[in-house]
Amino acid sequence: MVRLSGAGPWLLLIRTARSPRRAALDGWLGGIGFVVAVHHWLMPSLHVFIVLLAALLGLLWAPWGLLAARLLGGTPSAARGRPPCSWCPPAG
């Protein structure tokens, strides 16, 4: 569960997005943060290019931000209490 420790606050942030554009921006910024955190060991060899790489790879997270805002936004209910199955760890 350590790998998903940052997903909870990120999903709560995206859930409060007032527009799809803001949800996509929050998804993109979350992706940048994730890529920099995971690939921090490349910083000595990539220098400033890690920021460019993180920004490009972070764009792949924008659709997930839109999906999270659409599925989790609005009034909370039991049906929408769980994130999509792609964020859930495998059972067992």
Side-chain angles (χ1 to χ4, degrees), residues 13-61:
L13 174 70
I14 289 178
R15 185 176 177 267
T16 62
R18 300 208 180 258
S19 68
R21 186 176 185 161
R22 181 62 195 195
L25 177 66
D26 289 341
W28 180 44
L29 293 175
I32 290 173
F34 176 78
V35 170
V36 168
V38 170
H39 294 100
H40 69 279
W41 57 275
L42 289 172
M43 284 187 187
S45 60
L46 288 179
H47 302 288
V48 295
F49 296 110
I50 190 72
V51 177
L52 178 63
L53 179 68
L56 291 174
L57 290 174
L59 280 175
L60 297 173
W61 286 52

Side-chain angles (χ1 to χ4, degrees), residues 67-92:
L67 182 67
R70 180 160 173 95
L71 293 177
L72 299 176
T75 306
S77 66
R80 296 194 300 182
R82 285 183 50 99
C85 64
S86 62
W87 283 311
C88 297

